[in-house]
């Protein structure tokens, strides 16, 4: 009955979508948002409607579905369907002859119709310009460690009114084919004019009549702004700038206070950049001495032999007078702008403004880079020695032959080694054969059952979804193009001779501290600062950034070799993983043989110290439940949210930390292991972990799966319920192991006898307790196969919380979900998960008003 109604609802929902798509099509007006290779389009996870591309295509093409859905794809649409070309074919769009156009091309390199993605090389031309040449989406994605690629171009107006986008398989490769998953053609206002050529007085570059490619678009000092939150309907994506900062000099970030409102002027309209971009900024920091000795620098990898336009977005958020904050702007080590003073330009605080500078990037040995640097204009004797930047875009300009295409990037040696190692480890047979099998196996599993249901589920939950992308794995940390893989080699000078243990990619994603900074912040590792001791070494409470930020500093025992591996693992893992329920790694220090990790400080310590033996007030049942849900989310993200499954391997109550708001964060990835890769279901490895929490199956067979974490989490659930240690040798023999004893009691129906006395008589509702205990019991199943996934555990705990909050009310709804939607809730959870995910930018904790009060009134020198 019920599920019939549900199905009906889905059908209605889907048909509504279809109707809307059709009506959008029939107007044949811009914009065009096409899900290539699909017959009827669909809605993506942002709620955006994509239509079929079939009426715009001419020439020989076929359609296909990807056989494997990478977990880091933001949404099935448009990536899971593709249009494939074995010979030159074109899309034709009728467009307004006067308007510039955004053109976005979406590529998801995968197995299509058993074609090998590494055979695909192709050219794309539009409007007489070469956009891509000998392009390999698969090499590009590998080099950028992204699952999918989005290329964005800004085309000059097409006078004929007929835009022609042509895909041509490269003739220099046998079996070559072209493909595309999504195309967007969106009319845009004329936001480009001319830009001063840096290093040449009075010489300008005509940007207005050029076709551009967006290389980077950053919300400096702010967060990811997705297409739905961009201004003026331009649907741009703005990324966090921190991966591009050079060296350890991150400056500080700030946000507009309530009394500062952003007001666009006649010169700078909302279409230039959204309020979210202008209302956050990065500046240099509170110490004038420090600031006058460093440059706040961003480094971008680009293609040589092109001219680039650097667009800097400014909006003053703190000072109000001329000559308070004056700075020089350098592009590629040349002065682009001396004595920039945002207030002098705009007249007022809170008024947005942008400046464009053009620079030609020559071909030279080594990496081709674009440097943007800010430095206080000391000679102007400003009140504060500081600089500010709110947003940054880099566009590539077509060359004289109308070309925009550069060579394919070369995957770094580290990535190639990692891929080779993964292939060898997961696949004793030759790797080439294996990589094809993967796709087929997964395709069989996901293709049939999940496909339809997922589509419907997405429809239900889109509204829950907010941010995406840069939380969903490594990929999206690295926008559009380029990597920061070379940062370590540049920094290696500070490593006093020894080779770095940290891969350059990871180093590029998190902050590098000097030993003196760390010593300063911990009063030279004073014992009074110690807040914990573990196998790895001691943990200190410390202060960084001029004492404005509290951090936890983990210093390793310099001698242990295990330490080196775990240090490395933890940086590799944590620097890529950002999630509300994982402890954030802020940075690391590797100097003079020291291996030091710097984390967010967790004010409320470990979960365990709030359960027993610590004289802290007992947590309420609801608090406990919410903490378990948070930890489950963190683990669920580790298992499914990142590009590879990550198995924590040491889940226990001392590795679940609590911040000042009692938000649970999973910590300690030192033992983590990248998990089964697709077709292989376990990882053989030395048994590690903590007694009392150890999965018996793992112990017996030495095979690690994510279900080992589920087992340990089951122990955690009973620990939370019973408030006793996982192992307690002082108790009678049968009670020593909590896992065994609780299971025994649960089976005999005497669990209520062993629950925490503090919970008795309080509002622990029996239904809720039952659900909770059942969930814990399932986690402790002897065989991994019978244990729920972390996603199921999470769902059950949330259900338990609902039972607590609405003992009678909304249960019916929940039961419906529970019964009919096993497959669906996986999809639902995956999406909800992302909505709660938040990347914590390094400096978010820095309160800008505090920082600002610390400015020293500089009299100048
Ligand atoms: C399309 O491709 C198929 C197979 O590659 C070929 O047989 C057919 O002649 C082509 N059609 C056109 C119009 O080129
Ligand atoms: C579209 O472009 C291709 C390649 O430049 C060309 O062969 C084709 O004739 C063009 N079609 C139209 C309608 O302009
Ligand atoms: C694109 O912008 C329009 C106008 O702001 C907005 O309605 C739409 O939701 C945006 N598209 C996406 C994908 O969010
Ligand atoms: C982004 O837009 C969504 C709705 O379109 C809104 O709920 C959300 O708060 C916005 N996020 C930010 C950071 O403005
Ligand atoms: C905004 O308020 C802060 C204190 O909350 C004050 O220091 C600052 O001067 C105010 N800024 C403006 C522009 O009024
Ligand atoms: C850049 O131009 C120079 C001179 O024309 C040429 O030798 C070099 O190969 C070009 N580099 C690239 C990456 O195209
Ligand atoms: C800028 O200068 C730094 C050293 O100060 C150098 O490493 C870098 O390569 C230079 N950048 C460019 C684009 O020339
Ligand atoms: C900042 O960058 C400019 C241009 O590359 C360079 O001349 C200057 O020495 C740098 N200053 C510092 C303190 O690094
Ligand atoms: C706005 O544009 C006008 C004309 O281009 C220029 O004179 C004026 O200085 C600009 N105002 C600002 C605040 O940039
Ligand atoms: C880009 O192409 C346009 C049109 O072909 C041309 O006028 C312009 O000079 C080109 N830009 C550059 C920097 O060569
Ligand atoms: C095409 O790209 C591949 C991979 O980057 C490269 O090996 C090959 O030489 C390129 N072919 C041509 C014709 O440029």
């Amino acid at each position: 009955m019920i599920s019939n109604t549900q199905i009906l609802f889905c059908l209605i929902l889907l048909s509504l979508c279809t109707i809307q798509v059709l009506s959008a099509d029939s107007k044949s007006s811009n914009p065009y948002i096409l899900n290539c290779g699909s017959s009827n389009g669909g809605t993506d996870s942002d709620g955006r409607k994509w239509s079929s591309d079939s009426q715009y295509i001419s020439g020989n093409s076929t359609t296909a579905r990807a056989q494997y859905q990478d977990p880091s794809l933001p949404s099935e649409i448009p990536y899971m369907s593709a249009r494939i070309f074995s010979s030159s074919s074109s899309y034709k769009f009728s467009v307004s002859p006067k308007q510039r156009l955004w053109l976005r091309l979406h590529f998801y390199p995968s197995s299509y119709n058993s074609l090998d993605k590494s055979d695909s090389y192709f050219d794309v031309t539009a409007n007489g310009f070469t956009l891509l040449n000998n392009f390999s989406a698969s090499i590009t994605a590998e080099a950028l460690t992204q699952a999918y690629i989005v290329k964005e171009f800004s085309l000059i107006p097409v006078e004929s009114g007929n835009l022609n986008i042509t895909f041509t398989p490269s003739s220099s490769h046998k079996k070559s084919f072209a493909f595309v998953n999504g195309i967007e053609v969106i009319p845009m206002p004329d936001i480009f004019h001319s830009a001063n050529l840096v290093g040449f007085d009075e010489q300008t570059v005509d940007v207005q009549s050029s076709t551009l490619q967006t290389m980077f678009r950053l919300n400096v000092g702010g967060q990811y702004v997705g297409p739905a939150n961009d201004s003026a309907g331009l649907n741009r994506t703005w990324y966090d700038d921190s991966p591009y900062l050079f060296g350890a000099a991150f400056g500080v970030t700030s946000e507009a206070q309530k009394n500062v409102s952003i007001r666009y002027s006649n010169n700078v309209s909302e279409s230039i950049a959204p309020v979210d971009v202008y209302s956050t900024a990065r500046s240099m920091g509170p110490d004038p001495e420090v600031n006058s000795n460093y440059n706040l620098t961003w480094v971008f990898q680009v293609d040589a032999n092109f001219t680039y336009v650097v667009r800097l977005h400014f909006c003053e958020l703190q000072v109000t007078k001329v000559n308070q904050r004056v700075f020089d702007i350098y592009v590629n080590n040349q002065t682009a702008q001396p004595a920039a003073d945002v207030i002098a330009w705009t007249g007022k605080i809170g008024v947005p403004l942008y400046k464009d500078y053009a620079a030609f990037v020559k071909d030279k040995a080594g990496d081709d880079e674009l440097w943007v640097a800010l430095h206080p204009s000391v000679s102007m004797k400003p009140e504060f020695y500081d600089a500010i930047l709110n947003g940054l875009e880099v566009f590539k300009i077509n060359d004289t032959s109308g070309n925009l295409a550069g060579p394919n990037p070369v995957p770094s040696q580290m990535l190639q080694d990692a891929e080779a190692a993964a292939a060898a480890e997961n696949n004793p047979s030759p790797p080439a054969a294996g990589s094809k099998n993967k796709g087929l196996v997964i395709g069989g599993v996901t293709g049939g059952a999940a496909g339809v249901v997922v589509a419907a589920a997405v429809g239900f939950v889109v509204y829950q979804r907010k941010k995406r992308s840069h939380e969903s794995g490594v990929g999206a940390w690295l926008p559009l193009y380029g990597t920061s893989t070379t940062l370590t080699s540049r920094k290696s000078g500070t490593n006093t001779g020894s080779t770095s243990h940290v891969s350059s990619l990871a180093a590029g994603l998190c902050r590098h501290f000097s030993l003196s900074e760390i010593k300063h912040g911990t009063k030279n590792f004073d014992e009074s600062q110690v807040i914990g001791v573990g196998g790895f070494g001691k943990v200190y409470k410390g202060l960084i950034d001029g004492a404005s930020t509290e951090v936890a500093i983990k210093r390793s025992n310099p001698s242990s070799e295990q330490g080196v591996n775990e240090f490395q693992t933890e940086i590799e893992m944590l620097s890529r993983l950002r999630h509300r329920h994982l402890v954030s790694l802020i940075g690391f220090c590797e100097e003079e043989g020291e291996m030091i990790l710097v984390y967010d400080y967790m004010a409320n310590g470990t979960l365990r110290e709030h359960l027993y033996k610590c004289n802290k007030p007992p947590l309420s049942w609801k608090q406990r439940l919410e903490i378990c849900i948070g930890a489950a989310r963190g683990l669920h993200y580790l298992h499914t949210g990142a590009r590879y499954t990550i198995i924590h391997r040491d889940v226990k109550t001392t590795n679940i930390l609590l911040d000042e708001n009692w938000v649970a964060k999973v910590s300690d990835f030192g033992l983590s292991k990248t998990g089964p890769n697709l077709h292989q279901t376990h990882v053989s490895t030395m048994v590690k972990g903590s007694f009392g929490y150890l999965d018996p199956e793992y112990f017996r067979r030495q095979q690690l799966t994510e279900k080992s974490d589920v087992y340990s989490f089951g122990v955690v659930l009973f620990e939370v319920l019973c408030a006793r240690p996982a192992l307690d040798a002082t108790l009678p023999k049968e009670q020593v192991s909590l896992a065994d004893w609780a299971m025994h009691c649960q089976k005999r129906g005497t669990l209520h006898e062993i629950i925490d006395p503090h919970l008795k008589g309080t509002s622990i509702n029996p239904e809720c307790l039952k659900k909770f205990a059942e969930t814990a019991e399932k986690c402790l199943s002897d065989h991994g196969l019978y244990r729920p996934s972390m996603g199921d555990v999470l769902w059950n705990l949330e259900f338990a919380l609902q039972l607590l909050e609405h003992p009678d009310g909304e249960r019916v709804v929940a039961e419906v979900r529970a019964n009919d939607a096993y497959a669906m809730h996986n999809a639902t959870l995956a999406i909800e998960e992302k909505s709660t995910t938040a990347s914590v930018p390094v400096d978010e904790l820095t309160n800008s008003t505090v920082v600002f009060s610390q400015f020293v009134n500089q009299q100048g020198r």
Side-chain angles (χ1 to χ4, degrees), residues 219-239:
N219 179 10
V220 174
Q223 293 193 333
Y224 171 82
V225 178
N229 294 53
D230 190 28
S231 50
L234 296 181
N235 302 121
R236 293 165 293 200
T237 307
W238 301 77
Y239 292 89

Side-chain angles (χ1 to χ4, degrees), residues 425-573:
E425 184 175 326
N426 291 321
N427 198 14
S429 59
S435 62
K436 263 182 198 151
N437 289 343
K438 271 189 234 172
L440 292 177
V441 171
I442 296 291
V445 176
T446 55
V452 178
V453 186
V454 168
V458 166
F460 285 126
V461 296
V462 275
Y463 64 92
Q464 307 206 24
R465 210 159 167 276
K466 297 197 191 81
K467 310 208 188 71
R468 184 187 71 211
S469 209
H470 72 311
E471 301 94 350
S472 62
V474 189
W477 270 94
L478 304 168
L480 297 173
Y481 178 92
T483 66
S484 33
T485 50
T486 50
L487 285 175
T488 299
S489 57
R490 271 192 236 105
K491 278 188 299 216
S492 58
T494 58
N495 274 336
T496 52
S498 70
T499 53
S500 176
H501 295 114
V502 181
S503 85
S504 47
L505 178 64
L509 293 176
C510 69
R511 176 167 167 187
H512 193 170
F513 289 87
S514 70
L515 189 55
S516 65
E517 257 174 296
I518 300 287
K519 282 186 172 162
H520 184 73
T522 56
K523 304 184 184 152
N524 206 8
F525 300 112
D526 194 295
E527 286 298 310
S528 69
Q529 301 293 105
V530 173
I531 51 173
V533 182
F536 179 94
K538 286 183 179 164
V539 184
Y540 299 80
K541 182 176 175 181
L543 292 168
I544 54 164
D545 289 338
S548 60
T549 307
E550 280 185 326
V551 293
I553 292 176
K554 192 155 116 181
R555 183 193 197 189
S556 76
N557 265 329
S559 52
S560 80
E561 180 55 31
Q562 181 172 344
V564 174
N565 289 333
E566 293 180 7
F567 181 71
Q568 229 173 321
T569 312
E570 191 142 9
I571 294 178
E572 297 281 345
M573 295 277 170

Side-chain angles (χ1 to χ4, degrees), residues 536-656:
F536 179 94
K538 286 183 179 164
V539 184
Y540 299 80
K541 182 176 175 181
L543 292 168
I544 54 164
D545 289 338
S548 60
T549 307
E550 280 185 326
V551 293
I553 292 176
K554 192 155 116 181
R555 183 193 197 189
S556 76
N557 265 329
S559 52
S560 80
E561 180 55 31
Q562 181 172 344
V564 174
N565 289 333
E566 293 180 7
F567 181 71
Q568 229 173 321
T569 312
E570 191 142 9
I571 294 178
E572 297 281 345
M573 295 277 170
L574 274 182
S575 61
R576 293 148 198 238
L577 298 171
R578 304 270 157 160
H579 188 275
R580 179 171 156 82
H581 294 289
L582 300 181
V583 167
S584 297
L585 180 70
I586 297 176
F588 66 96
C589 166
E590 197 186 16
E591 237 178 270
E592 295 175 25
E594 293 275 3
M595 293 178 294
I596 292 167
L597 297 170
V598 181
Y599 301 87
D600 273 346
Y601 177 67
M602 293 293 128
N604 278 314
T606 67
L607 171 57
R608 180 196 215 131
E609 67 197 64
H610 296 280
L611 292 175
Y612 48 84
K613 292 185 180 166
C614 233
N615 300 328
K616 302 229 165 129
L619 298 170
S620 74
W621 176 239
K622 185 164 176 226
Q623 263 178 317
R624 295 186 200 198
L625 202 45
E626 283 170 345
I627 289 167
C628 291
I629 288 172
R633 276 188 203 284
L635 290 170
H636 176 59
Y637 175 76
L638 285 180
H639 290 174
T640 60
R643 185 165 176 208
Y644 300 110
T645 299
I646 293 164
I647 302 172
H648 186 292
R649 293 219 281 177
D650 202 11
V651 176
K652 55 183 176 183
T653 43
T654 46
N655 279 338
I656 296 172

